[in-house]
Amino acid sequence: MTKIVIVGGVAGGASAAARARRLSEDAQIIMFERGEHVSFANCGLPYHIGGDIQDRSKLLLQTPQSFLARFNVDVRVMSEVVAIDRAAKSVTVRNQLDGTQYQESYDVLLLSPGAAPITPPIPGLDNPLTHSLRNIPDMDRIIQSLQSRQVKHATVVGGGFIGLEMMEAFHQLGIQTTLLELGEQVMAPVDREMAGFAHHTIREQGVDLRLNTALSSVEYVAEQGQLLLSLSSNQQLQAEQLQTDLLIMAIGVRPETALAEQAGLQLGETGGIWVNSQMQTSDPAIYAVGDAVEERDFVTDTPSLVPLAGPANRQGRMAADNMLGRNQHYQGTQGTAICKIFDLAIASTGRNEKQLRAAGTHYQKVYVHTASHASYYPGAETVSFKLLFEPETGKILGAQAAGKDGVDKRIDIIAVAQRAGMTVEQLQHLELTYAPPFGSAKDVINQAAFVAHNLMVGDSHAIHLDEIDSLSDDQLLLDVRNPGELDSQGFIDGAINIPVDQLRERMDELPKDKEIIIYCQVGLRGNVAYRQLVNRGYKARNLLGGYRTYRFATA
C-alpha cells in the first residue's frame, strides 16, 4: 500500500489527492493544510468582496469532511509541515492550534505550498488598514474592515489580476478608488498598446489610475482611522501625499520554497522549485506542483513562473498519476489568462512582445480590430486582436485581445492552435461557427491570419506604431479616412488626408520619390490604399492596426 503525503491543498494538492484516490482505493492519502480551508476558489475572492458572489459558502469547494466522505482522504487542516527528513522519509507537522509537533512518514511526498504575496520593504505597511488577498481569512478581514468602519476611499497597489479585480470590487461598492502601478501599464502579460484599452476603461469608470507611481511610505493616523500614503513618480519633483481609508497590496506573488530549500531540494533559475516533466523534484520520492514550481514555457522551452490555477490543476493530476506508477509528462505552460475590467475583457496566451524582444526572438506582429459577430446584427462589439509569429515559419508565438465580447473565444482558439503546432498559414483555413448573432464569415482569427500571411509572402509591407513618430524627410504620412473621422476620432500630426475612395483620382498629388506611410482607422482601408499605390509604382507601407492601435498605445 502506497502512503502519499500532500503538503497544501487548493488547486494543486487537492487535485492530486482526488486523482490519486480515483486511481487507487488502497493508497493511504494524507493532506496537510496550514490554514482552515483545504479547497477554496481563490480566484473568486475579489468577486465576493465586490458582491458578485453573494454566498460565501460557494467559495468553499471541499471541506475535510466532504473530502473524507467522497475520496477517503485524511485531511488535516491547521497543520503546518515545518520540516522534511528525506533520509527517514518523514515530515514534521506542527498543530497550529496548540503548537504541538509530530512526525508523519511517507512513501511519496507532494509539495503544493503555493505562492505568497510579495511584501515590499515600505515603511509603515504593518498597520490594521493594510491587507493582501491570498485566502479566505484575508478576504474575511477585508470585508470586516469594510463593514466595521466607513470606507470612502480605498487604494490598491499593483495592476495585476488581483489588483484589477480589487479595484473593480471597491468601485462596485461605491468606494472612490485609486490604483497605483509602478510600471507604465497594468496587466503585464499583454503589451503596452493592448493595456491601453484597460487604461481607457479604468479612467472612464472614474478610477484614479496612476501609472509610473511608487508607494514610498505609509503613515497610520490612528485618531482619524486613515492612512497617509507618500507617492513618488518620475514626473514629480517631491513626494505627493494621498489620504486613504484602506490599502490593498497586490504587487505580485513569489513561490513559497522555504520548506523545499530547508530539505535541500534544488531550486530553478527563476526561484521556483525545480521539477522535471513528471513533476518530480531533485528527490525522486518528492513531487511538487502549482505556483511554487518552476515550469517550462511552452513556446520557448525556457524556465518560467506562472501562478495560474489551470496549470496547477493539471500538474496535480499528472503528479498523482506518476506517484502511482504511471508515466505522464507535463508539456509546458502557455500562460493563457483573461481578466475582467468592468465591461472589458483582456486576455493573452503564449509570449508577449516584451518577452520575445528580451529573448532575442525574431518575430512579426499584426493587429486587427473587427466585430465580435456580424456587424449588422445588434450587439456587435469590437475585438482588438494582436498576433505574434515567426515570419519565416509562421509559428504562432502568442496572442492578445481586448474587447467587450468574444475575447475569450479568440484567445482560446489561438491557445489550442499554438499547442497543436499550427502555423499562421493554417489559421487562414480554420472553419469556425458562423451565424450573425455569434460570429462572422471571416472570423477575427481568419482576418489576423490573412494579414500575417500577406506580410509573410510579401503582399504587404508594414510599419508599426513605434516608428510613426520618427519618420524621415523621405517619408510622407497619408491618412485615408474620411474627413469627418478626423474630426471625431483624432489624427496624427503631419498627415495629409486623401480618402481611400478618392485615391485613384488623386494619386498624382503624392510624390513618387518618397515612401508613403498609410494609415486608416483599423488598417483595412490602409491595406486597400497600399495595394493601389504599389500597383502604380509607389513605395508604401501600411500602419498595422491603424489609428485605433496608435491612439490606445498612449492611453
Side-chain angles (χ1 to χ4, degrees), residues 78-112:
M78 303 304 291
S79 298
E80 182 178 10
V81 174
V82 295
I84 301 170
D85 186 335
R86 290 166 54 192
K89 294 185 106 175
S90 71
V91 296
T92 301
V93 185
R94 178 193 296 134
N95 186 312
Q96 299 281 69
L97 299 177
D98 60 19
T100 58
Q101 294 188 2
Y102 63 94
Q103 271 68 47
E104 190 71 51
S105 65
Y106 64 84
D107 294 320
V108 284
L109 176 65
L110 175 70
L111 303 180
S112 180

Side-chain angles (χ1 to χ4, degrees), residues 223-295:
E223 57 271 20
Q224 296 177 17
Q226 281 190 320
L227 299 174
L228 188 61
L229 310 181
S230 293
L231 313 179
S232 60
S233 73
N234 296 333
Q235 289 75 38
Q236 296 170 317
L237 296 178
Q238 60 184 20
E240 180 186 353
Q241 302 285 297
L242 175 68
Q243 283 188 330
T244 194
D245 301 312
L246 196 64
L247 177 63
I248 303 294
M249 298 299 297
I251 64 172
V253 296
R254 62 164 55 96
E256 291 227 23
T257 60
L259 186 62
E261 283 186 87
Q262 291 166 8
L265 297 177
Q266 180 183 339
L267 299 188
E269 298 174 30
T270 59
I273 302 170
W274 179 89
V275 291
N276 62 19
S277 63
Q278 292 183 301
M279 308 314 298
Q280 277 178 310
T281 68
S282 53
D283 183 330
I286 302 177
Y287 294 73
V289 299
D291 297 353
V293 306
E294 179 180 271
E295 303 155 307

Side-chain angles (χ1 to χ4, degrees), residues 76-245:
R76 304 179 192 177
V77 295
M78 303 304 291
S79 298
E80 182 178 10
V81 174
V82 295
I84 301 170
D85 186 335
R86 290 166 54 192
K89 294 185 106 175
S90 71
V91 296
T92 301
V93 185
R94 178 193 296 134
N95 186 312
Q96 299 281 69
L97 299 177
D98 60 19
T100 58
Q101 294 188 2
Y102 63 94
Q103 271 68 47
E104 190 71 51
S105 65
Y106 64 84
D107 294 320
V108 284
L109 176 65
L110 175 70
L111 303 180
S112 180
I118 296 172
T119 304
I122 295 173
L125 277 184
D126 187 11
N127 66 75
L129 304 183
T130 296
H131 303 273
S132 60
L133 181 61
R134 182 193 185 193
N135 52 37
I136 296 282
D138 291 340
M139 179 191 74
D140 291 340
R141 282 189 287 270
I142 293 170
I143 292 174
Q144 176 61 25
S145 288
L146 293 170
Q147 293 176 342
S148 63
R149 38 196 300 280
Q150 191 173 24
V151 176
K152 294 182 179 179
H153 183 277
T155 300
V156 179
V157 181
F161 293 105
I162 293 295
L164 292 168
E165 289 161 359
M166 284 304 303
M167 167 205 72
E168 184 172 352
F170 288 139
H171 182 274
Q172 197 159 297
L173 293 171
I175 298 170
Q176 186 181 352
T177 306
T178 295
L179 177 62
L180 306 177
E181 169 53 51
L182 182 61
E184 65 173 1
Q185 67 170 85
V186 302
M187 264 203 90
V190 304
D191 291 311
R192 176 63 179 80
E193 72 278 16
M194 300 301 290
F197 296 103
H199 300 160
H200 175 77
T201 297
I202 291 167
R203 292 185 171 120
E204 198 174 46
Q205 292 291 330
V207 172
D208 176 22
L209 172 63
R210 306 196 190 189
L211 302 172
N212 299 299
T213 301
L215 174 64
S216 50
S217 69
V218 179
E219 180 185 349
Y220 175 44
V221 187
E223 57 271 20
Q224 296 177 17
Q226 281 190 320
L227 299 174
L228 188 61
L229 310 181
S230 293
L231 313 179
S232 60
S233 73
N234 296 333
Q235 289 75 38
Q236 296 170 317
L237 296 178
Q238 60 184 20
E240 180 186 353
Q241 302 285 297
L242 175 68
Q243 283 188 330
T244 194
D245 301 312

Side-chain angles (χ1 to χ4, degrees), residues 322-463:
N322 295 329
M323 287 188 293
L324 289 168
R326 295 196 175 189
N327 185 27
Q328 292 291 328
H329 294 266
Y330 187 69
Q331 297 179 7
T333 298
Q334 294 165 273
T336 309
I338 189 166
C339 187
K340 174 184 177 295
I341 306 171
F342 299 105
D343 59 351
L344 183 78
I346 297 191
S348 64
T349 191
R351 299 278 87 180
N352 60 40
E353 193 173 348
K354 299 185 293 285
Q355 294 164 330
L356 294 172
R357 195 182 302 123
T361 303
H362 186 214
Y363 68 92
Q364 182 56 277
K365 58 186 176 182
V366 298
Y367 304 89
V368 294
H369 306 279
T370 191
S372 57
H373 60 248
S375 56
Y376 56 81
Y377 187 88
E381 299 284 356
T382 299
V383 175
S384 296
F385 185 84
K386 177 179 183 178
L387 180 65
L388 295 153
F389 60 97
E390 281 185 355
E392 299 83 9
T393 65
K395 177 183 177 181
I396 300 166
L397 299 174
Q400 302 159 32
K404 296 181 180 180
D405 181 52
V407 166
D408 53 345
K409 170 182 175 179
R410 273 68 188 207
I411 291 299
D412 284 344
I413 290 169
I414 292 294
V416 173
Q418 184 181 63
R419 191 161 286 270
M422 294 180 67
T423 64
V424 162
E425 197 277 335
Q426 290 170 320
L427 289 181
Q428 297 179 101
H429 304 289
L430 286 185
E431 189 172 329
L432 305 174
T433 56
Y434 166 56
F438 302 106
S440 300
K442 288 189 296 186
D443 189 79
V444 177
I445 301 295
N446 300 125
Q447 293 197 41
F450 294 152
V451 176
H453 193 252
N454 282 343
L455 289 179
M456 291 175 65
V457 300
D459 284 344
S460 66
H461 191 194
I463 191 169

